[in-house]
Amino acid sequence: MNKQDILCKLPSVDELINNERIVGVLRETPRNVVVKFIRKSLEYNRNKILKMKEDELNQYQFQLESFIDDIISNSKAFLEMNLKEVINGTGVVLHTNLGRALLSDEIKEKVWAVAAGYSNLELNIETGKRGSRYSHVIDIIKYLTGAEDALVVNNNAAAVLLVLGTMAKEKEVVVSRGELVEIGGSFRVPDVMEQSGAKLVDVGTTNKTHLWDYDNAISENTAALLKVHTSNYKILGFTEEVGLKDLVALGRKNNIPVIEDLGSGVLVDLQKFGLTYEPTVQESVALGVDIVTFSGDKLLGGPQAGIIVGNKKWIERMKKNPFTRAFRIDKLTMAALEATLKLYLDEKEMINSIPTLRMLTEPIISIAERAQQLHNILIASGLKVSIEIKDDYSQVGGGSLPLEKLPTKVIKIKPKTISAAKLEESLRNYTIPIITRIQEDQIIIDLRTVREKDFYNISDALNKILM
Ligand SMILES: *Cc1c(COP(=O)(O)O)cnc(C)c1O
């Protein structure tokens, strides 16, 4: 047969749309979506045929049923949400690729009410005049941090850009060489400075920076002293850094503001819960730092946001910067942030009501109980593989507390019929994706980040994949 004859034998769009199985699918799938995939599949087949050599052409047989299978599955997949819930079996609490902080169940309705209805986002209810969207969170941020004023933007990267662009454009900012952080993606302190229009003056060395390093670098062009919290690494050994207190004193003496990028915004002393000390926002404010920036979705446990607190004089200037409009947060974020911050007002409950804090501080006995529960469910489901509960460590993640090793319990599964790599891949591609780790040809599910409601999904997935 020649190519033209084969091409003529391909069904037309009309024929396909009237095919019995497609007609069935059209009851729940919009016609335009199905037509899109019919066209795509036809084109794919046409191109394939046009590229075929003589011997391939002779063997070619058009497979109508599998052709229709593809159209149906592609149409259905196109309608499904791509962005969806996954089960985090990694134990990394603030997993950047899995969406960082989880919002509290308690705030669900409050956020949805604002999202799906009209709100007073920019309306002052009392006066009936235009209000500021930031007004909703300013008072609570001031209360929680002790700062004089506050502003919120899309994320902490934007916050740093806005702060430097407002306070130090075309001027110099002094920062220690030990704090030229890369956060991941393309957030590098030197690059952010350049984008903001501020000139970086790096002082000291990688391991040691002294107060006199800063002092020597100060000139009439200096706009600010910057401290960056090395949130995702630690320099250990023969080291020295200048504390905030001394830096603030130096700034005051020279009439130069001090800016601090805290990275993770901690509002509670984590030592109370057995974690490593992490500087809190309140401490920086109390020590007299002029402007502090931090993330909303790291240790604070809220939505993605960048929070700026500090002197009113500087915040007022930032509000007038056009970048503030470009970086502004939407009503969903605002609602989620306000509701999360309100959870901090109840000191007794906040550890339980804020999922990030709850997961980071869950006692090992409680994790062990849940591991036992999942273990029992898996055994009862009849899985014929080795399933064990083991001790391990979870990580905080999100570039926070990099050295923290949180003792945890994990379920270890050693598949018999397939490799651990294959099992990991199949779990990841399951209807509700289950993200696990591999260690020595076993897969590991860390119970710290797995919720009870996920237990039966994990069991079903393993049974489907391993049976
Ligand atoms: C995480 C981090 C940032 C970036 O914050 P995002 O909210 O992710 O934009 C900036 N600086 C430091 C020190 C950080 O740890």
Side-chain angles (χ1 to χ4, degrees):
M1 267 210 282
N2 70 29
K3 284 186 183 172
Q4 222 43 52
D5 291 340
I6 297 180
L7 287 175
C8 284
K9 287 225 168 104
L10 286 178
S12 69
V13 175
D14 258 359
E15 280 171 71
L16 287 163
I17 205 87
N18 290 313
N19 172 285
E20 201 181 331
R21 286 176 63 209
I22 299 259
V23 170
V25 170
L26 283 173
R27 265 180 243 127
E28 55 211 40
T29 312
R31 189 184 164 92
N32 58 312
V33 172
V34 179
V35 169
K36 167 184 152 75
F37 285 103
I38 291 177
R39 292 227 161 92
K40 210 170 160 190
S41 299
L42 283 172
E43 188 176 312
Y44 173 80
N45 271 269
R46 262 189 225 114
N47 286 335
K48 202 167 86 178
I49 294 165
L50 286 172
K51 283 197 198 108
M52 281 181 179
K53 300 202 189 71
E54 186 75 31
D55 53 335
E56 289 172 307
L57 279 174
N58 291 334
Q59 311 227 328
Y60 181 74
Q61 275 254 322
F62 178 68
Q63 308 279 352
L64 182 67
E65 289 313 311
S66 76
F67 184 80
I68 288 179
D69 285 344
D70 284 350
I71 291 169
I72 293 176
S73 68
N74 286 334
S75 302
K76 285 191 172 159
F78 195 62
L79 288 176
E80 262 169 32
M81 277 295 283
N82 256 321
L83 181 60
K84 58 184 172 185
E85 196 173 1
V86 308
I87 296 173
N88 178 7
T90 67
V92 181
V93 176
L94 292 169
H95 200 304
T96 298
N97 298 353
L98 305 184
R100 282 199 190 156
L102 310 188
L103 296 182
S104 172
D105 266 343
E106 285 180 35
I107 71 172
K108 213 161 35 185
E109 273 138 42
K110 292 174 191 154
V111 175
W112 192 244
V114 170
Y118 293 112
S119 66
N120 60 336
L121 183 66
E122 289 193 350
L123 176 75
N124 183 323
I125 300 265
E126 275 165 41
T127 63
K129 299 222 168 74
R130 180 169 180 180
S132 150
R133 69 175 57 214
Y134 306 107
S135 64
H136 309 289
V137 290
I138 300 301
D139 281 345
I140 188 159
I141 295 176
K142 279 159 63 176
Y143 175 76
L144 293 170
T145 64
E148 193 183 8
D149 203 358
L151 182 61
V152 182
V153 290
N154 253 319
N155 50 35
N156 189 28
V160 175
L161 206 51
L162 175 64
V163 166
L164 294 176
T166 306
M167 296 173 69
K169 200 169 176 138
E170 277 143 39
K171 295 198 115 195
E172 294 175 355
V173 174
V174 185
V175 61
S176 159
R177 290 210 170 93
E179 297 171 5
L180 297 178
V181 181
E182 171 173 321
I183 298 305
S186 51
F187 187 93
R188 288 174 150 189
V189 169
D191 299 343
V192 173
M193 286 234 186
E194 196 184 312
Q195 284 302 320
S196 73
K199 289 193 203 95
L200 172 78
V201 178
D202 47 344
V203 298
T205 60
T206 304
N207 56 325
K208 282 205 175 200
T209 303
H210 306 276
L211 191 62
W212 45 262
D213 284 318
Y214 289 92
D215 204 358
N216 289 346
I218 291 176
S219 72
E220 69 271 23
N221 291 323
T222 309
L225 307 177
L226 172 67
K227 185 124 183 98
V228 183
H229 182 44
T230 59
S231 38
N232 56 5
Y233 66 97
K234 282 265 182 302
I235 299 180
L236 303 173
F238 187 59
T239 65
E240 189 166 324
E241 64 172 309
V242 175
L244 278 178
K245 207 168 153 194
D246 292 339
L247 207 58
V248 168
L250 182 66
R252 290 277 150 82
K253 199 177 88 190
N254 292 279
N255 205 15
I256 295 169
V258 175
I259 302 167
E260 184 180 28
D261 173 11
L262 256 184
S264 235
V266 183
L267 296 176
V268 283
D269 182 0
L270 295 174
Q271 289 177 109
K272 274 197 271 184
F273 309 101
L275 296 172
T276 306
Y277 168 75
E278 176 76 8
T280 65
V281 181
Q282 297 91 304
E283 282 166 333
S284 295
V285 170
L287 284 170
V289 177
D290 296 85
I291 288 291
V292 184
T293 74
F294 52 99
S295 281
D297 59 349
K298 290 187 182 171
L299 290 169
L300 190 120
Q304 181 192 300
I307 303 172
I308 305 168
V309 301
N311 291 356
K312 199 173 185 65
K313 175 181 92 172
W314 294 115
I315 304 259
E316 284 298 334
R317 274 194 219 176
M318 286 170 210
K319 283 187 190 155
K320 296 197 184 96
N321 188 324
F323 273 132
T324 299
R325 170 60 194 250
F327 296 157
R328 83 176 186 188
I329 61 172
D330 75 316
K331 59 184 178 180
L332 273 172
T333 305
M334 187 59 84
L337 182 63
E338 184 184 0
T340 303
L341 290 170
K342 294 255 147 100
L343 297 173
Y344 275 93
L345 295 176
D346 189 338
E347 281 184 30
K348 279 208 212 81
E349 282 307 312
M350 80 189 170
I351 273 296
N352 290 318
S353 56
I354 299 168
T356 300
L357 299 181
R358 182 174 62 224
M359 283 189 272
L360 287 174
T361 59
E362 183 174 3
I364 188 77
I365 330 171
S366 154
I367 302 177
E369 266 171 32
R370 294 191 300 116
Q372 191 60 54
Q373 233 175 309
L374 177 58
H375 185 266
N376 294 349
I377 290 172
L378 296 181
I379 298 289
S381 76
L383 275 176
K384 294 193 178 48
V385 288
S386 137
I387 309 170
E388 293 175 302
I389 301 176
K390 291 278 186 195
D391 291 321
D392 209 321
Y393 293 98
S394 325
Q395 284 173 290
V396 178
S400 310
L401 298 167
L403 303 184
E404 192 83 28
K405 288 175 87 187
L406 306 164
T408 190
K409 294 282 178 185
V410 301
I411 299 261
K412 273 195 173 183
I413 299 172
K414 194 176 173 69
K416 277 189 207 138
T417 47
I418 55 174
S419 68
K422 182 72 200 154
L423 178 55
E424 185 275 334
E425 183 195 324
S426 303
L427 286 168
R428 185 159 31 86
N429 285 283
Y430 190 64
T431 338
I432 304 177
I434 303 170
I435 316 299
T436 59
R437 280 192 286 138
I438 299 181
Q439 205 178 70
E440 295 161 2
D441 217 36
Q442 308 186 58
I443 65 138
I444 289 183
I445 302 174
D446 186 331
L447 268 291
R448 181 181 298 277
T449 47
V450 177
R451 293 172 289 177
E452 264 152 59
K453 71 178 181 75
D454 300 327
F455 288 177
Y456 283 98
N457 285 321
I458 294 174
S459 167
D460 288 349
L462 284 168
N463 276 288
K464 276 223 178 76
I465 295 163
L466 295 174
M467 279 304 158

